[in-house]
Amino acid sequence: MDEQFDVIVVGSGAGALLAAIRAADAGLRPLVVEKSGLIGGTSAISGGAIWIPVNDDMPGAGLQDNIEQAFEYVKTCAKGLASDDRVLAYVETAKVLARYLGEIGIPYRCMPHYSDYYPTVPGGLPGGRTMDPIDYNAAKLGAQLLEDVRPTNPGQLIFGRMQMNAFEARVMLAREPQAKWMLMGIMLRYAMDLRWRFKSKRDRRLTGGQALIAGLYAALRERKIPVWVNCPMQSLVTDPANPGRVSGLIVERNGQPQRLLAKHAVVLGAGGFERNQALREQYLPSPTNADWTATPPLGNTGDTILAGAAIGAQLHLMGHTWGAPTLEVPKEEKFRAVFVERSLPGCMVVNRQGLRFLNESGPYPEFQQAMFAEHQKNGGAIPAWIVFDADFRANNPLGPMMPGSAVPDSKLRKSWLRTVYWKGATLEELAGEIGVDAAGLVASAKRMTEFAGTGKDLEFDRGGNSFDRYYGDPTLKNPNLGPIAKGPFYAMKLFPGDIGTKGGLLTDRDARVLDAAGQPIEGLYCIGNNSASVMGPAYPGAGSTLGPAMTFAYRAIAQITGQPIALERTDLLSA
């Protein structure tokens, strides 16, 4: 027998859960269906940041922002691949979404010194638009329900156990004076929390994406919203009396197909298609490999995108990803993204010729794109190699390797040598180990050491803007430049991975899915990575995935309930 709900939400990431919660608060009866057996999707393993221009925290931090410059910035970044009214809808509504998160128990705070990714682009700011979730006490959700939430990445845990927030990560990576005491405090708090540890192996203090998803899941439970896990969507259902309207969907539940009807709307809030090798080969730059992605296995295979296309939805931005360099760690379920360690002084990235070809500290999407461009031009940049010396190894983490001062080479897993890291007493020996040109590698290291002495990278201007410098060492002439001169020397293999694809169903400013003629498909909405990003091909700042996913979920429910959110600064659209 068919079951009916007011709104059916597909997926359980941040945008999907927010849509269901908002629908319940608006008096509707929602259902969430999730393909996997865990709640949270890619959002749960993310940093949890949201990019919110003109947010309420900025004035208190002494920062100024306005809709005009936020609109100009995103519009410029989008390069004409997102409609102006959709961009305006985002920059106007994002702060409203952030307030709503606080109202339902998931408050955020702005990061005053975390720069937009392109601070020199018109409208870009050196900090404040990225917001980080306040730490969340898992006891509010409960140890049993916490097991429903997808665990975070190993790389976001201290010694594989303790969570840290974005502020703490910055202090410790930059080795600021209070870093040691901060680390000791985190460890002491964890060690003394015996009562909780008897209940769960996971840290009571949740940060980042864990804080966001646990908070949303708790809000979902408070509202008694049903969530059906292990329930993949198979197809969309259209209304026999009105074939242009989506009236529900077919799911697989308990091994059997089941039809679900949606009185008001279906909201697609699932991931992209990065785990679908066939779709990658059809749309993404070559070479491409689903194994390189840092998103959860078995999910994000483009099911909702294909279902939308099957009923005539328009696809957009299918050749783009939320790119990030990744590395492989044996026995881990997915590759690890390398977000911040590459900014630390004393490392460089080279191709097979042993030559640098990018700014190692730049935004991760540009890093990935530079790998493709270099590989197409000269070959040998897929994979690329991140190279560092003994001093860097002693003082810094990289991927699964903790600083050598804490975990020396002798304590590393023996199987990691020549799989996770390569080592040589000299640069020439290292070059032989990793198959790159020795003369090129030696020359690149010498030149990087010279740049560290002068504080100026004459090749790629590493450290030349506020974004680069955020995760550097502020005691140096250039926070991102350090010598590569002291043996032994190390290398790790990098791939052009991603944290999701950014192409999918094209939507309007209220998240309504558009058909080939640009008209809304009645009853069908789409948010998150299965929709074409409002950011176009760019990544304006940390939180450019989760911020829009939840903001457009907020706008979608307003539209569904007959109370669409009007644009205020329509004068900007004619500029």
Side-chain angles (χ1 to χ4, degrees):
M1 181 177 177
D2 299 341
E3 289 194 53
Q4 186 176 66
F5 298 85
D6 290 332
V7 175
I8 301 175
V9 182
V10 180
S12 68
L17 296 184
L18 191 285
I21 293 164
R22 185 65 183 160
D25 286 354
L28 301 178
R29 181 172 172 248
L31 167 71
V32 175
V33 295
E34 163 58 40
K35 179 179 182 178
S36 75
L38 294 170
I39 302 296
T42 306
S43 303
I45 65 171
S46 73
I50 52 178
W51 192 80
I52 309 293
V54 204
N55 67 70
D56 295 343
D57 268 13
M58 295 181 77
L63 302 172
Q64 295 183 344
D65 195 9
N66 58 64
I67 293 298
E68 293 94 330
Q69 64 182 5
F71 175 74
E72 179 183 27
Y73 178 64
V74 178
K75 178 180 176 178
T76 303
C77 290
K79 298 179 179 178
L81 295 178
S83 65
D84 287 358
D85 68 328
R86 195 164 169 238
V87 170
L88 183 61
Y90 177 64
V91 299
E92 287 189 344
T93 311
K95 63 181 178 181
V96 182
L97 174 275
R99 290 174 195 153
Y100 179 66
L101 285 171
E103 292 168 5
I104 63 174
I106 314 163
Y108 269 73
R109 56 185 171 177
C110 84
M111 303 177 70
H113 304 294
Y114 200 158
S115 173
D116 289 341
Y117 284 1
Y118 317 113
T120 59
V121 167
L125 293 181
R129 286 171 171 164
T130 290
M131 304 187 79
D132 191 54
I134 301 291
D135 301 348
Y136 188 84
N137 184 351
K140 294 179 181 179
L141 180 61
Q144 186 173 353
L145 289 176
L146 181 60
E147 294 304 309
D148 295 342
V149 175
R150 184 178 298 279
T152 191
N153 288 316
Q156 291 174 283
L157 299 172
I158 299 172
F159 297 116
R161 299 182 180 184
M162 295 157 277
Q163 298 210 7
M164 57 182 166
N165 61 42
F167 290 85
E168 293 164 341
R170 195 268 179 112
V171 168
M172 287 187 280
L173 282 169
R175 298 198 298 278
E176 294 184 8
Q178 68 270 37
K180 184 180 295 185
W181 296 108
M182 179 177 285
L183 177 60
M184 290 176 62
I186 293 172
M187 295 174 68
L188 182 63
R189 176 202 54 78
Y190 179 83
M192 293 181 67
D193 196 11
L194 292 174
R195 187 174 180 180
W196 175 259
R197 286 167 60 194
F198 279 121
K199 298 179 181 179
S200 175
K201 295 180 180 179
R202 291 157 76 168
D203 198 346
R204 178 202 295 261
R205 188 184 73 139
L206 303 179
T207 62
Q210 292 285 290
L212 172 59
I213 293 300
L216 288 171
Y217 190 35
L220 202 80
R221 300 285 301 189
E222 289 170 8
R223 290 158 178 78
K224 297 181 172 54
I225 300 170
V227 181
W228 295 358
V229 296
N230 297 311
C231 188
M233 187 190 94
Q234 294 183 334
S235 61
L236 293 166
V237 173
T238 54
D239 189 339
N242 180 7
R245 180 184 183 277
V246 169
S247 58
L249 63 157
I250 305 292
V251 299
E252 180 185 322
R253 193 179 187 206
N254 300 322
Q256 298 294 324
Q258 181 174 350
R259 189 166 75 159
L260 303 174
L261 300 180
K263 182 178 179 181
H264 293 286
V266 170
V267 179
L268 304 178
F273 63 89
E274 66 272 9
R275 286 286 177 183
N276 186 321
Q277 183 64 29
L279 287 180
R280 292 183 72 100
E281 291 174 2
Q282 181 177 355
Y283 290 108
L284 298 183
S286 181
T288 186
N289 192 325
D291 290 341
W292 297 342
T293 185
T295 63
L298 304 180
N300 300 355
T301 51
D303 304 358
T304 51
I305 298 172
L306 293 172
I311 64 163
Q314 187 177 164
L315 301 182
H316 185 51
L317 293 175
M318 292 293 283
H320 298 270
T321 66
W322 300 99
T326 57
L327 54 81
E328 183 179 12
V329 182
K331 298 184 179 180
E332 290 191 2
E333 67 170 8
K334 54 188 175 297
F335 277 39
R336 287 199 190 194
V338 182
F339 293 118
V340 298
E341 304 100 301
R342 57 194 169 78
S343 282
L344 300 171
C347 68
M348 65 179 180
V349 172
V350 300
N351 59 17
R352 191 166 54 204
Q353 290 78 37
L355 304 177
R356 293 176 66 214
F357 59 91
L358 49 62
N359 169 9
E360 293 87 348
S361 301
Y364 30 97
E366 276 63 33
F367 192 112
Q368 181 229 44
Q369 291 161 22
M371 292 179 72
F372 280 116
E374 176 66 17
H375 194 73
Q376 291 166 5
K377 183 171 63 175
N378 294 317
I382 299 177
W385 296 90
I386 185 165
V387 175
F388 48 98
D389 72 357
D391 284 339
F392 182 98
R393 168 78 183 98
N395 296 316
N396 300 298
L398 210 167
M401 293 166 55
M402 296 295 290
S405 56
V407 183
D409 292 355
S410 61
K411 299 294 184 182
L412 295 175
R413 295 179 185 176
K414 289 183 173 54
S415 62
W416 281 5
L417 185 61
R418 297 189 179 91
T419 57
V420 173
Y421 73 98
W422 285 253
K423 182 177 178 181
T426 64
L427 284 166
E428 290 87 351
E429 182 179 324
L430 179 66
E433 286 285 328
I434 63 176
V436 308
D437 181 77
L441 185 64
V442 170
S444 294
K446 180 181 179 182
R447 195 152 171 78
M448 177 61 79
T449 301
E450 293 171 352
F451 294 159
T454 63
K456 180 67 175 176
D457 175 5
L458 298 178
E459 292 181 332
F460 300 100
D461 197 29
R462 180 176 174 185
N465 62 69
S466 56
F467 173 75
D468 286 8
R469 294 190 292 270
Y470 185 77
Y471 281 112
D473 183 343
T475 66
L476 301 178
K477 287 182 181 179
N478 184 319
N480 305 109
L481 301 181
I484 303 175
K486 182 179 178 181
F489 299 90
Y490 300 80
M492 298 176 76
K493 189 183 294 187
L494 297 180
F495 295 90
D498 58 72
I499 54 173
T501 49
K502 62 175 6 189
L505 307 184
L506 183 62
T507 60
D508 69 4
R509 68 191 187 207
D510 293 313
R512 295 180 295 182
V513 175
L514 303 179
D515 64 16
Q519 297 301 307
I521 297 175
E522 188 180 351
L524 185 62
Y525 294 73
C526 190
I527 58 174
N529 280 357
N530 53 184
S531 67
S533 174
V534 70
M535 304 302 188
Y539 208 140
S544 291
T545 54
L546 297 181
M550 290 191 285
T551 297
F552 283 108
Y554 191 94
R555 291 187 64 91
I557 299 303
Q559 175 70 31
I560 290 167
T561 56
Q563 298 176 313
I565 301 171
L567 299 180
E568 297 177 7
R569 292 298 310 276
T570 53
D571 58 296
L572 296 175
L573 300 178
S574 59

